[in-house]
Amino acid sequence: MPAATLLVPFALPPAPMAPDLIRALQAPALAALLSRPAAQAYHPFEADSRVLPHEAWVAHALGLAGAPTAADAGAPVAPAVMAGHGMAPQAGHWFLVHPVAIHVGSHLQMSDPRQLQLAEEESRTLFEAVLPLFTDDGHELVYADAHNWFLRADAWAGLDTASPDAAYGDNLHAWMPRGDMARAFRRLQNEVQMLWFAHPLNAARQARGQPPVNSFWLWGGADATRRPAANSLATAAAPDWLARLAAPGHRAATPAQLRAGDVLVAGAALASGLAEDWGLWLEAMARLEQDWFAPLLAAQRAGSVGEVELVLTHRDGWLQTRTSKMAQYRFWRPVNLSALLT
């Protein structure tokens, strides 16, 4: 029988911080799940990858990309996310587009898109303002919601893009699209930035203390025909694009919904892990212990869940561990969080 898999982005502390964070972390159920494994392995991730390990892992699990251990691991998810919005592109090469705030200092940095506070009406206004720039270039731009738009740009199929979370917190120069059509992308991006820079909507946002929406982020490109295999993905507190890969009834899942063969992404620690805010990270891990690890351990001990697989990630890799009810009887093994040391 396949295991029930819980993927928890950024539940794995970075190696330099891990000893201190593990001492502060109160997670007895997680420790029990980790300490008595039937199988356990740490997988390093390509350092120059343009997506994060959990993004590549999900894309592979859905049949959208090759193995996350491959050098060309990616997340070509745009048409699948479109389908999650109730759209069904029939042809062409589509990208995800997010309106974003970029801070210009000694280098370019993107603000956390989750903190953008972009209202539906504001996003519509910005979308309508730049739509002619895209159509004049022969592209099709489609509005989905305040944070997610889609772009058809067949000639840009070779662009090598990066996910916004992979680029977050770093100098954006290294994360901009690469390839033969990168210059065309940068020209269009510059035109959008100049138009939005002078837009009264951004003046109003700044007057309210909100960051201006001054650029857009492009990634996840794939042919329209690339759709996920039949799957039982579920999500909880996951980024919107990732939640859209799950069926509507599985985008705010609970432990009671997890069955053998399911993959559930619990994203509670993602934002704090990305921001390296370790106080908030400990709070998020406490919620994960209460909401997920403790219920899963209890369900396994009660026999209502068979094997449980945990996939815990950080920027540099992921720990994959599997335990069973029988493995939990190995009382001679000490229960601790040392498996989080990578």
Side-chain angles (χ1 to χ4, degrees), residues 114-288:
R114 283 163 285 264
Q115 306 299 323
L116 195 56
Q117 297 180 296
L118 182 61
E120 191 77 23
E121 184 179 353
E122 289 180 314
S123 184
R124 282 277 185 188
T125 298
L126 294 171
F127 176 87
E128 296 296 339
V130 297
L131 184 58
L133 299 178
F134 287 85
T135 54
D136 288 351
D137 264 15
H139 303 311
E140 182 179 356
L141 187 65
V142 177
Y143 185 94
D145 63 26
H147 297 276
N148 299 289
W149 308 348
F150 297 96
L151 175 69
R152 178 177 176 177
D154 296 358
W156 293 2
L159 271 184
D160 180 16
T161 62
S163 76
D165 279 349
Y168 172 65
D170 203 355
N171 185 342
L172 291 183
H173 178 75
W175 298 94
M176 290 294 181
R178 302 183 300 209
D180 292 343
M181 299 306 293
R183 177 171 295 184
F185 164 79
R186 287 196 298 272
R187 181 185 54 76
L188 181 57
Q189 187 187 42
N190 286 338
E191 291 176 357
V192 169
Q193 289 174 161
M194 286 190 290
L195 194 155
W196 282 351
F197 175 77
H199 200 287
L201 182 148
N202 273 323
R205 282 181 61 87
Q206 289 178 289
R208 295 194 298 270
Q210 295 175 318
V213 181
N214 55 10
S215 191
F216 68 93
W217 197 258
L218 180 91
W219 74 290
D223 187 83
T225 58
R226 188 174 299 199
R227 300 293 177 83
N231 69 82
S232 51
L233 180 72
T235 63
D240 182 74
W241 67 265
L242 202 159
R244 295 284 177 174
L245 298 174
H250 293 80
R251 293 172 186 168
T254 65
Q257 292 178 265
L258 197 58
R259 300 285 183 272
D262 289 354
V263 173
L264 191 141
V265 182
L270 175 57
S272 54
L274 270 173
E276 299 182 356
D277 186 330
W278 303 118
L280 289 179
W281 182 85
L282 286 169
E283 292 178 10
M285 290 298 290
R287 289 197 300 277
L288 286 163

Side-chain angles (χ1 to χ4, degrees), residues 34 64 72 74 107 150 164 167 170-171 184 191 228 289 306 316 320-321:
L34 291 173
L64 295 169
D72 59 347
H107 52 265
F150 297 96
D170 203 355
N171 185 342
E191 291 176 357
E289 170 75 8
D316 303 319
Q320 196 155 350
T321 183

